[in-house]
Amino acid sequence: MSPGSWNPTTMVQGIVWILLGLLLWPEPGTASLPLLMDSVIQALAELEQKAPVTEATHTPTVWWLSAQDSGPQDPLYPFVLEGWSLKATEFDPPALSPELRGLIKEVARHGVRGGQEYGVVLAPDGSTVAVEPLLAGLEAGLQGHRVINLPLDSTATLLGAGATVPDVGAVVPDIKATSPELRDTSPGVTSADVRAVSPNVSATDLDVRATFPGVRAPSPDDQASSPDAKAESPTTVDSLLVVTLARDLGLTFLQSPQTRRNPVLGAEGCWDKLSDPRNFTLLDPEASPLTTAFLNGALDGALLGDYLSRASEPRPPLSHLLSQYYGAGVAGDPGFRSNFRRQNGAALTSAPTLTQQVWGTLTLLQRLEPAHPQLQGMSLEQLGEVAIRATKEFTEAFLGCPAIHPRCRWGAAPYRGSPTPLQLPLRFLYVHHTYLPAPPCTAFARCAANMRSMQRYHQDTRGWNDIGYSFVVGSDGYVYEGRGWDRVGAHTRGHNSRGFGVAFVGNYTAELPAEAALRTVRDVLPKCAVRAGFLKPDYALLGHRQLVRTDCPGDALFHLLRTWPHFDANVKSRTARRASRSSKRKPAPVTLPATNLQ
């Protein structure tokens, strides 16, 4: 290859294929590097430096062929992604360090076995991410975000040597561009306002007209029933959604079609050691493969793949792109980063489109592998019903709920004593501000440190069993689990067993929390709690000062709470009554720290 014929896109695409091949490299080994996203980025950077530019066009196929012998055969990827099983000349692997080879081997494939989750890494924002769907999305994006016409008869075969790629059309019209182009292509969601975008999107009430003009929002009847017999079955699939979300959503929801019991979706887990993560144990022993980590990786792959498919030449090095995405934001946009993947994922595609993609993917798999044990004998209508269920559950239970870091993620100390269980569902949601720490926390490390500091104060100084709050909301896009959904808290004296106490990190006497944090408490968290049966549908929202003599949650925040739909104005503020009685004698009392809760 002459220097003048070098294509930077081919080079970047080759790096992805090299890494995918290395993921399944059959050499034995154990990772000596911690399972961190920073380690994955380090491996990518080393590959980008050492992969010979002149051999870039050969690296995808060679590495994938080397992996085919040891890895399980999947008929879908050869059909969807170009270059999967093409012949190529021999190519020696780049001279990666043993440590990076061990790491790559460790994150080879995503899997859930015996309560452990494999193929995942810890990201700087505190989230856990599956590497396999992330890389698949990057590769699909580098190939141009292609629309593939479905085979409409039983003659479809796998792509082999000399085979042509599937019939490829234009870019899927209903997939919205991600940031920074988001502000131009998605009028309902702008990059500048992405922190204000609520992930409160469900398959039953999604207003797709705001983001997708001309598309009717689906009604509950649409989602609860099988596909209309007159409706046309999907005839195309988008390669990006197939390899990130659609395939695994569809197959997971085929597990128990007889009972129609939805699989456990979005299970979280705990790392053995946050500073040196090696093993990840799931908190739910019945978790399906659609864990939070897998869905995080799938969303990241879809978002970054979409970005790459639209990026102008030369495309950024993948290590640089991932550093930005898992850091301050892609191209300097703080809204386009991993902290806001659920909001951005909801803006990427509509629920009706995702349903069609899941349906189409299952149809494609059935044609490619007629003897598939889960797909054999399934009618087109039955596959459509599975697609509806899968999309509805994913949209409501994952995209429609906030990202909550479990206690183990922020390093919580054990509960002291025996917790008192709550009698669910509860009737109230009590809003607090922490007052101290006063500055909002905008990064995981700071938010986690604040949580540990508040817990130490509540346990060691106040003598309480645990941190008082049920949940704490940071300005980093995450909710932090305190006592959680099932334990009585110590947040609103005399009312702890009747409601959940939710606190914003910061002092909001004169200013307001970040818009994303406000929407989480106003819309997303309570709606998710109602759906799960933790909170009554007619719940009432109260400020701390309405029940306890305190200025919490601060004047600015409390005045805003009074405008929220579920705010109960019939409960008078105790600070207001106290001030009116004493106004003639002395000034109003000094603000009390929000740590005086119980």
Side-chain angles (χ1 to χ4, degrees), residues 121-209:
V121 294
L122 179 63
D125 66 349
S127 64
T128 302
V129 180
V131 176
E132 187 179 7
L134 168 64
L135 292 177
L138 292 174
E139 175 58 29
L142 288 169
Q143 291 192 12
H145 207 356
R146 304 175 305 134
V147 174
I148 299 172
N149 292 328
L150 292 177
L152 300 180
D153 53 39
S154 60
T155 61
T157 58
L158 300 183
L159 290 181
T164 58
V165 298
D167 191 7
V168 178
V171 173
V172 176
D174 204 14
I175 303 295
K176 296 300 171 183
T178 51
S179 170
E181 291 82 4
L182 185 62
R183 61 173 60 89
D184 298 321
T185 60
S186 185
V189 184
T190 64
S191 174
D193 194 39
V194 71
R195 284 163 292 181
V197 178
S198 171
N200 189 19
V201 184
S202 71
T204 57
D205 65 2
L206 179 67
D207 183 8
V208 296
R209 291 167 295 178

Side-chain angles (χ1 to χ4, degrees), residues 548-579:
V548 177
R549 292 188 183 278
T550 176
D551 286 337
C552 177
D555 290 344
L557 179 55
F558 182 71
H559 291 324
L560 179 64
L561 295 183
R562 293 167 63 91
T563 68
W564 288 8
H566 282 264
F567 180 80
D568 189 350
N570 294 322
V571 180
K572 302 300 181 182
S573 171
R574 300 198 65 178
T575 53
R577 294 203 304 271
R578 177 182 60 185

Side-chain angles (χ1 to χ4, degrees), residues 9-25:
T9 297
T10 303
M11 176 61 186
V12 174
Q13 186 173 337
I15 295 299
V16 177
W17 283 104
I18 292 175
L19 189 55
L20 284 169
L22 283 168
L23 287 179
L24 297 176
W25 192 247

Side-chain angles (χ1 to χ4, degrees), residues 577-589:
R577 294 203 304 271
R578 177 182 60 185
S580 63
R581 291 197 301 267
S582 60
S583 59
K584 295 182 180 180
R585 300 192 302 272
K586 57 183 180 180

Side-chain angles (χ1 to χ4, degrees), residues 46-96:
E46 190 165 323
L47 281 169
E48 288 165 338
Q49 291 175 358
K50 293 184 176 181
V53 173
T54 57
E55 307 260 9
T57 55
H58 297 303
T59 56
T61 55
V62 172
W63 282 104
W64 197 257
L65 283 170
S66 71
Q68 289 282 355
D69 296 334
S70 58
Q73 298 292 324
D74 189 323
L76 183 64
Y77 293 112
F79 193 85
V80 172
L81 296 177
E82 289 180 322
W84 183 281
S85 55
L86 301 176
K87 300 281 187 185
T89 59
E90 271 192 36
F91 179 70
D92 292 330
L96 286 179

Side-chain angles (χ1 to χ4, degrees), residues 485-523:
W485 296 117
D486 56 353
R487 295 178 176 181
V488 174
H491 43 76
T492 311
R493 184 191 294 270
H495 302 268
N496 291 316
S497 63
R498 303 178 62 198
F500 298 105
V502 179
F504 292 92
V505 176
N507 177 2
Y508 298 106
T509 301
E511 60 184 32
L512 291 173
E515 181 61 25
L518 290 170
R519 292 196 178 207
T520 294
V521 177
R522 184 187 63 213
D523 302 321

Side-chain angles (χ1 to χ4, degrees), residues 362 387 402 457 593:
L362 291 176
Y457 179 78

